[in-house]
Amino acid sequence: MKIIILGAGQVGRSVANALAIEANDITVVDQNADLLEDLQNRLDLAIVKGHAALPAVLRRAGAEDADMILAVTNSDETNMIACQIAYSLFQTPIRLARVRSPSYQRHPELFSTTGIPITYIISPELIAVQSMEHLIEQSEALQILDFAGGKVQLVAVRAHSGGPLVGHELRSLSKQVPGVSTRIVAVYRRDRPIIADGKTVIEQGDEVFFLAASNNIPAVLAAFGHSSSPTRRVMIAGGGRIGKRLAERIET
């Protein structure tokens, strides 16, 4: 897959590291030559120095036959314009953009083929807020992640001594939530994933990841989660972008 990453900051470098391992054809665009050279010295990828929203720069990066544009510069406006150019001039099939400002995110109607043609918006701050909000609502979970627009969730719970998980084979767990369709997708033991099958027996301390429809997650947590008191008071340490947004979400 031919992928162009716009921005060699922390997000761009992390994505480049992950995608280069999978033998993708990667090109990274940035105005900082030092960051680009560091990436090229460590990874098998191409680099282009220049402004990410200029048509000539995108053409040099290979936008004419790219499968995906991933715009993750520090500028929302640069990311949005880059996706517009990739769509209008190069017909790039998939266009992902990092958009951090809530002012833009409050207007999803902006992001369409008749507006700003972004296939998928990435907001690390919003993802963090949503994760923390889920954990406040379901405090017995270790992690809760949304998929398919929030219709499906991945939830992780820890197996505690005397709880409903320890000592049971994976294939028997579905019987504890009759009428609920759920699948165990991963088991971590001592912070490492293990190769599990239906006969795998859960041990104390294991982290078990369940996938289920969002409306079934409370039933899954009730069956397998460690009972805890409902969250009554929340203290947010930090009033920055994430802290402010979390406070707004909790209040509403």
Side-chain angles (χ1 to χ4, degrees):
M1 192 172 189
K2 186 171 183 178
I3 303 171
I4 300 175
I5 300 173
L6 306 179
Q10 183 176 356
V11 175
R13 293 197 303 272
S14 298
V15 173
N17 272 289
L19 295 178
I21 293 174
E22 299 177 5
N24 290 293
D25 181 358
I26 308 294
T27 300
V28 180
V29 177
D30 201 280
Q31 297 186 87
N32 189 318
D34 292 336
L35 290 177
L36 291 174
E37 290 174 7
D38 176 68
L39 274 174
Q40 193 170 48
N41 289 335
R42 294 187 294 103
L43 301 171
D44 181 18
L45 49 73
I47 58 173
V48 172
K49 184 177 182 297
H51 194 284
L54 293 178
V57 173
L58 291 174
R59 182 174 279 109
R60 281 197 287 127
E64 291 176 313
D65 60 349
D67 299 299
M68 177 188 296
I69 292 281
L70 181 57
V72 290
T73 74
N74 290 327
S75 167
D76 287 353
E77 292 72 22
T78 296
N79 296 336
M80 291 189 290
I81 293 171
C83 286
Q84 179 71 70
I85 294 171
Y87 176 79
S88 299
L89 297 186
F90 306 113
Q91 294 78 51
T92 307
I94 304 174
R95 303 161 304 279
L96 288 78
R98 181 186 188 188
V99 179
R100 302 175 64 187
S101 173
S103 296
Y104 293 126
Q105 294 174 10
R106 291 191 189 103
H107 298 281
E109 66 273 14
L110 289 173
F111 306 105
S112 67
T113 53
T114 57
I116 304 171
I118 298 175
T119 309
Y120 187 78
I121 292 175
I122 303 169
S123 174
E125 291 86 357
L126 183 58
I127 292 172
V129 169
Q130 289 174 338
S131 296
M132 286 185 277
E133 185 181 21
H134 287 324
L135 293 176
I136 290 169
E137 294 171 350
Q138 306 286 353
S139 57
E140 64 269 35
L142 296 175
Q143 295 183 49
I144 301 179
L145 300 176
D146 288 337
F147 294 93
K151 296 178 181 178
V152 177
Q153 290 182 324
L154 180 71
V155 59
V157 298
R158 189 180 302 279
H160 293 274
S161 177
L165 289 171
V166 175
H168 293 275
E169 293 184 344
L170 293 184
R171 60 185 177 184
S172 70
L173 295 181
S174 61
K175 298 177 182 178
Q176 298 189 37
V177 278
V180 172
S181 178
T182 183
R183 180 183 296 272
I184 297 173
V185 296
V187 178
Y188 275 68
R189 183 166 294 164
R190 290 179 283 278
D191 297 324
R192 293 181 178 275
I194 65 171
I195 299 175
D197 57 28
K199 296 181 180 180
T200 299
V201 177
I202 299 300
E203 298 180 2
Q204 180 179 344
D206 285 356
E207 295 178 18
V208 185
F209 289 76
F210 295 88
L211 189 68
S214 299
N215 59 344
N216 287 330
I217 291 299
V220 172
L221 289 173
F224 303 120
H226 179 63
S227 60
S228 59
S229 301
T231 301
R232 299 298 185 188
R233 300 179 64 188
V234 178
M235 181 179 71
I236 301 173
R241 187 189 299 266
I242 293 178
K244 182 179 178 180
R245 295 187 67 173
L246 180 61
E248 291 173 348
R249 293 285 291 265
I250 294 173
E251 186 177 20
T252 56

